[in-house]
Amino acid sequence: MRKIVEGDTTALSLAARYVAVPTKSAYPPTPFSYNAQDPLAGAQSVMQAIAQGELPADVGRSLIEGLMSVQRIREVVELEGRLGQLEAKLKEQS
C-alpha cells in the first residue's frame, strides 16, 4: 500500500488488477420471435425491435451474432451428414 501512495505505477497496476473487479456486460432477457427452421425470421424480428426502439442496437447485434453462430453450426452438422452419406456410397461402390 505504501508503494501505491508513493506513486509506484507497477504496484498500482497490480492492485488494480486484483482489487478492482472488471465490469461484465449483462444483457437483460430479450424475448424475440425465433423459429429454428427459419433463422431469417428471427433476425428480422430482432431488426424490427431495434427499428421500433424496443431493443438497443448493441443487444440486437449480439442476438443476431448468436443467430448467425447457430446457423453456421447447423450448416457444419448438415455438411458432415452429407459427407458421411457420400463416403458410405463410395465405399459401397468400391
Side-chain angles (χ1 to χ4, degrees):
M1 200 59 168
R2 183 180 40 88
K3 291 204 177 255
I4 294 172
V5 174
E6 292 173 357
D8 185 334
T9 57
T10 303
L12 179 60
S13 174
L14 286 170
R17 187 176 310 153
Y18 294 104
V19 174
V21 178
T23 58
K24 291 183 181 179
S25 175
Y27 294 126
T30 310
F32 66 99
S33 177
Y34 176 67
N35 177 346
Q37 302 308 313
D38 188 8
L40 176 60
Q44 289 172 329
S45 171
V46 170
M47 291 304 294
Q48 180 85 22
I50 293 169
Q52 293 176 344
E54 299 169 355
L55 185 65
D58 60 334
V59 174
R61 181 174 149 216
S62 179
L63 289 171
I64 289 177
E65 287 173 356
L67 287 169
M68 289 171 49
S69 294
V70 169
Q71 184 61 24
R72 280 191 296 266
I73 292 167
R74 180 181 293 126
E75 290 169 357
V76 168
V77 168
E78 288 175 3
L79 286 173
E80 283 180 342
R82 293 173 73 182
L83 182 60
Q85 291 172 349
L86 286 172
E87 289 173 340
K89 283 184 181 182
L90 286 173
K91 198 178 240 185
E92 289 174 6
Q93 292 176 356
S94 52

